[in-house]
Amino acid sequence: MLLALCGLALLAGAALIGAALATPPDSHHHESGGNIMPSAVDVGFLQDMIVHHQQAVTMSEIVRSGAGVEIAGLADVLRGNQLLEIGQMTGFLQVWDKPLISSIAPMDWMSGGAEGHQAHHDGSQHDAMPGMATQEQLNRLGELAGSAKEVYFLQLMVRHHQGGVLMADYAATHAATPQVKALAQRIAVEQSKENQQLTAFLGQRDP
């Protein structure tokens, strides 16, 4: 549903990733011993992180209505970053001929589950992934306005990014392919930096 929102971003991301991963017919990658096949961690991380990013896009869309210029602008930046990465992750999965939606339980690619995250859930992706907001929380965000809306958005997004960093750190260490390792490392660094900004904005507002 949200993939329809990003249309061109997804197509562009898929095209760029496809070009990056394409191997010339006369090249056999002797240096690396051949192409490295994606593991369950590579595929599971991409599938789950797409869902995780989609919720950040949703929250950013919600807060843009009813928030001040500063937070609305921040939401636009976050939304753009998430959509670009959704396109890149979609591109990897398409090139590897893997489904965009996982057929297994969310977070199964992390052995033992996310650290500090209890896997008590009803099978839905939103309940199983660290940092994800519930539907009730999204509904409340949509109902609030002004400063209350901004504060709640910042609180939800800080927690959301913390969960994303947790997932990305694991993938950066355990993924098989250099492409996913690099992407996961970048996501972890970028979302950690964004959380510093989100926390600073939160500190400027009364909770």
Side-chain angles (χ1 to χ4, degrees):
M1 185 168 59
L2 281 173
L3 289 178
L5 293 175
C6 42
L8 293 176
L10 291 182
L11 292 175
L16 288 171
I17 297 301
L21 294 182
T23 303
D26 58 347
S27 174
H28 299 287
H29 291 275
H30 293 297
E31 322 66 37
S32 59
N35 290 325
I36 300 175
M37 297 302 294
S39 67
V41 172
D42 294 77
V43 175
F45 168 72
L46 295 175
Q47 291 170 333
D48 282 356
M49 190 58 82
I50 286 173
V51 175
H52 206 270
H53 272 31
Q54 284 174 337
Q55 188 180 83
V57 172
T58 296
M59 291 194 290
S60 297
E61 292 280 359
I62 293 173
V63 80
R64 290 171 72 245
S65 173
V69 174
E70 187 175 49
I71 297 301
L74 174 63
D76 280 339
V77 172
L78 294 175
R79 176 181 178 275
N81 291 342
Q82 302 285 294
L83 286 175
L84 177 61
E85 289 170 354
I86 287 173
Q88 294 171 334
M89 292 185 286
T90 299
F92 283 130
L93 291 172
Q94 289 178 340
V95 167
W96 289 328
D97 196 25
K98 301 296 182 180
L100 300 184
I101 299 175
S102 176
S103 60
I104 62 175
M107 304 305 298
D108 271 7
W109 54 275
M110 282 183 75
S111 60
E115 181 182 351
H117 178 73
Q118 297 298 318
H120 300 302
H121 59 88
D122 60 7
S124 72
Q125 292 169 311
H126 289 194
D127 289 339
M129 292 183 202
M132 293 287 277
T134 64
Q135 186 58 51
E136 290 73 19
Q137 289 171 326
L138 294 179
N139 292 342
R140 183 186 174 197
L141 179 62
E143 293 166 358
L144 295 172
S147 178
K149 190 184 194 82
E150 295 179 350
V151 168
Y152 197 54
F153 166 75
L154 293 169
Q155 291 171 337
L156 291 179
M157 192 60 78
V158 165
R159 189 183 67 181
H160 194 272
H161 270 16
Q162 288 171 342
V165 170
L166 188 69
M167 295 165 66
D169 279 341
Y170 186 92
T173 301
H174 296 90
T177 67
Q179 296 93 343
V180 172
K181 282 181 175 288
L183 175 63
Q185 289 169 351
R186 189 171 76 246
I187 289 175
V189 170
E190 290 177 351
Q191 293 202 355
S192 295
K193 289 180 179 178
E194 288 172 354
N195 250 1
Q196 294 177 359
Q197 186 177 16
L198 291 165
T199 302
F201 279 129
L202 190 56
Q204 297 168 4
R205 290 160 173 80
D206 293 330

